[in-house]
Amino acid sequence: MKHWWALVALGTAQFLMVLDTSVMNVSISQLVEDFDTEVTAIQAVITLYALVMAAFMIVGGRLGDILGRRRMFLVGLVVYGAGSALTAVAPTLWVLTLGWSVIEGLGAAMVLPAMAALVAESYRGRDRAVAYAVIGGLAGAGIAVGPMLGGWMTTYLTWRLVFAGEVVVVLAVLLCRRVIPTPAPAGPRPRLDGVGAALSAVGLALGVLGVLQSSTWGWVQPRNPPFTVFGFAPTLFVVGAGVAVLAVFRHWERRREDRGTDPLVHLSLLRRPVLRAGLMTLLSQNLILLGLFFAIPLYLQVVQGFDAFQTGLRLLPVSATMLVTSLCASPLGQVMGPRRVVRLALAILAAAVVWLLATIDPVIDDAQFAGAMALLGVGIGLLASQLGNIVQSGVGEEERSEAGGLQFTAQNLGSALGTALIGSILVGALAHAFTTQVADEPRLSAETREQVGVRLEAGITFVSTDQVRSAGERAGLPPSEVKAITDSYASAQLDGLKAAILATGGVALVSFLMTSHLPTARSGRPPEPGSGAAPGGANGSTDRA
């Protein structure tokens, strides 16, 4: 039993990294009120947190190789605790962004790759599979506890207490640091590729920034951008600039490998089909989950008018089934093969999205909604039970930190894109539906249609119908026209939400294309990662370069 204490300390870190994201998601309405801002601003804060982690996760993994993984894990916890403390007392949105999105994000980028490598180094064979299932389960527990804890705290006390509590938990883990093993050096310590680190961070940041701002700037036709490019919205140009910088990063890394100097990441790892497929599926998993966890709380809080605690209660089915499934489904990989489990999970996710779409109505059907959310949790839990072990089984012992960095980069890039892309689709569909409905509304005069059109050109955000009604009354519109505008906006809200949720179902279906190289082994213990092959026979070959 003693050798599992390290897993308790390492898993606690995983729990914390997930907890406050789910707290933020159920507290969106309260954060908007506390900081006197808009939903899109909180969307940007949530996206930036995941983006900072994604941009610096590979750097964090490499620093673990250089400075020692245990040391990096502990230093990262200190940074994360400092960010939590600042977030707990944040007086303004900018301080919240600094404490949560930036400092906590950087701390997580130090902690998570080191945690993944330390788990892999501490356990072998079946114990390793169990360890990764526990890590996935604790991530599920963070998602399970987050909405309830955050909802209760936000509604009856304050969301700030959650972050103050995180500081206490971080201190407790630091006091128990002796249970965390100190791995023996696997070879000469590499050097940090500073140019590669800068290129990867800038490329990822530009790409996600463009997607995030698309709801404000527009994709092609400019909506309300700070500037235009040849008369077009800057969105695609910013995304394209990010892709170009990442192409330069790829060239730079290959050049360093060819010269025999230490790259930031060995791109040859991505030529291994099992690892590549696992990383892409991880990205899809988090894009779906975080996209839904951004859109659904808006439906519950803004459309249905629930407070944060009531929102947390309605998210409980997805959290509970995700936790139970991720903890119990690990043996399915040995019975069915990881590929079949992942494909089953994606099919379940698509079915859950269809069911969820049927529940998005002006008046919620709690039983139907709970069933759809529970099914969603089963799908995510099945993915979580397999993907961590798949990724780490595709690399050798000396590549643990690098693989951990890639693993959590994929996860957090998926999280950032989930919040940014799904939020963008939601707002874009809302704007399109509202514009169409106002244009076709016979109860509105031509002057009112023109006035609403001018407001829409300046940008639209996701607000309650009460706020729309109040805005119409302040503008001096007749009661019949205020009601017409309010009804049109309420209908557009549902259209926007359905478009966003439907997009996550599309991601689940497209993800089937990424599963062809996942392992197919149905029984027996997977070979140790250093043996030159990953589970799955020909399809599971690691294709070492």
Side-chain angles (χ1 to χ4, degrees):
M1 179 64 191
K2 186 177 180 181
H3 76 299
W4 293 110
W5 282 112
L7 185 62
V8 173
L10 296 169
T12 300
Q14 172 72 83
F15 176 84
L16 283 180
M17 306 297 129
V18 174
L19 176 70
D20 54 7
T21 301
S22 53
V23 169
M24 282 293 188
N25 282 323
V26 298
S27 304
I28 291 173
S29 293
Q30 189 62 49
L31 290 166
V32 167
E33 181 180 336
D34 287 354
F35 293 106
D36 191 23
T37 185
E38 297 179 344
V39 167
T40 49
I42 303 304
Q43 176 195 6
V45 172
I46 295 172
T47 300
L48 182 60
Y49 175 64
L51 177 59
V52 168
M53 285 195 282
F56 292 99
M57 201 65 71
I58 296 175
V59 178
R62 179 57 74 188
L63 286 174
D65 293 335
I66 296 170
L67 302 176
R69 293 159 185 175
R70 182 177 183 273
R71 181 181 300 170
M72 184 54 53
F73 177 81
L74 298 174
V75 170
L77 278 179
V78 172
V79 173
Y80 189 87
S84 296
L86 183 59
T87 303
V89 298
T92 66
L93 184 65
W94 288 109
V95 177
L96 176 76
T97 304
L98 175 63
W100 190 64
S101 301
V102 178
I103 299 179
E104 280 196 51
L106 288 172
M110 298 179 194
V111 168
L112 290 173
M115 182 270 295
L118 288 168
V119 169
E121 290 169 341
S122 302
Y123 304 98
R124 294 288 186 273
R126 191 175 299 277
D127 282 354
R128 179 178 291 165
V130 171
Y132 277 114
V134 170
I135 291 294
L138 287 168
I143 294 174
V145 172
M148 291 295 297
L149 177 62
W152 187 84
M153 287 283 192
T154 300
T155 302
Y156 298 108
L157 297 170
T158 171
W159 53 268
R160 298 176 186 274
L161 286 178
V162 177
F163 294 92
E166 286 188 351
V167 177
V168 176
V169 175
V170 165
L171 291 174
V173 174
L174 291 173
L175 290 174
C176 300
R177 63 187 180 277
R178 293 185 182 276
V179 303
I180 302 171
T182 304
R189 290 182 176 178
R191 294 183 178 180
L192 180 64
D193 174 14
V195 173
L199 288 172
S200 66
V202 171
L204 291 172
L206 285 173
V208 175
L209 174 65
V211 174
L212 175 66
Q213 292 298 115
S214 62
S215 59
T216 303
W217 297 347
W219 281 101
V220 178
Q221 189 71 24
R223 185 175 297 149
N224 189 30
F227 61 93
T228 59
V229 181
F230 306 117
F232 296 103
T235 303
L236 293 178
F237 294 93
V238 173
V239 173
V243 172
V245 172
L246 290 176
V248 174
F249 166 72
R250 179 184 179 188
H251 174 74
W252 173 264
E253 295 300 289
R254 287 186 170 176
R255 182 181 176 187
R256 286 182 68 88
E257 282 193 75
D258 292 342
R259 291 185 173 184
T261 51
D262 294 318
L264 181 68
V265 58
H266 290 85
L267 295 179
S268 56
L269 288 173
L270 298 179
R271 298 186 197 133
R272 304 178 189 179
V274 171
L275 180 63
R276 187 172 61 244
L279 292 174
M280 291 302 296
T281 311
L282 272 171
L283 188 150
S284 297
Q285 169 195 295
N286 276 40
L287 193 158
I288 293 167
L289 181 62
L290 269 295
L292 289 174
F293 265 55
F294 177 76
I296 290 172
L298 286 180
Y299 168 64
L300 295 174
Q301 294 182 353
V302 179
V303 177
Q304 297 298 326
F306 296 135
D307 60 33
F309 182 59
Q310 292 170 323
T311 299
L313 283 175
R314 284 164 177 81
L315 292 178
L316 184 59
V318 65
S319 303
T321 54
M322 189 191 312
L323 173 60
V324 172
T325 306
S326 61
L327 286 173
C328 299
S330 181
L332 278 179
Q334 297 177 16
V335 176
M336 300 172 57
R339 183 194 298 176
R340 287 188 177 181
V341 176
V342 170
R343 286 179 172 175
L344 174 63
L346 293 173
I348 290 173
L349 286 177
V353 166
V354 172
W355 192 357
L356 191 58
L357 283 171
T359 71
I360 302 298
D361 286 319
V363 179
I364 191 171
D365 183 332
D366 281 325
Q368 292 289 328
F369 184 81
M373 295 300 282
L375 188 63
L376 176 69
V378 171
I380 294 293
L382 284 173
L383 288 178
S385 72
Q386 305 297 316
L387 293 178
N389 202 36
I390 287 172
V391 169
Q392 286 290 333
S393 293
V395 298
E397 297 297 332
E398 71 283 359
E399 299 162 329
R400 290 290 174 214
S401 284
E402 200 163 357
L406 289 170
Q407 176 180 339
F408 289 107
T409 296
Q411 285 183 324
N412 288 288
L413 182 59
S415 298
L417 287 173
T419 305
L421 179 61
I422 302 306
S424 170
I425 291 171
L426 190 157
V427 174
L430 168 69
H432 176 75
F434 190 39
T435 301
T436 302
Q437 299 219 18
V438 166
D440 296 339
E441 177 55 65
R443 291 175 289 176
L444 296 178
S445 65
E447 182 183 352
T448 300
R449 288 196 189 98
E450 182 179 354
Q451 187 177 349
V452 173
V454 171
R455 294 285 183 91
L456 285 170
E457 286 294 323
I460 189 172
T461 187
F462 202 92
V463 297
S464 69
T465 52
D466 286 342
Q467 290 174 278
V468 174
R469 185 180 297 107
S470 297
E473 291 170 350
R474 287 196 303 272
L477 297 178
S480 61
E481 293 197 353
V482 170
K483 185 177 188 308
I485 290 174
T486 304
D487 290 345
S488 296
Y489 187 82
S491 178
Q493 276 184 328
L494 297 182
D495 289 345
L497 286 162
K498 288 181 178 180
I501 293 170
L502 182 62
T504 64
V507 173
L509 293 177
V510 170
S511 298
F512 274 95
L513 302 176
M514 307 171 191
T515 62
S516 59
H517 292 295
L518 292 177
T520 58
R522 297 187 185 182
S523 61
R525 190 175 71 181
E528 287 300 316
S531 64
N539 289 329
S541 168
T542 56
D543 187 25
R544 288 186 180 275

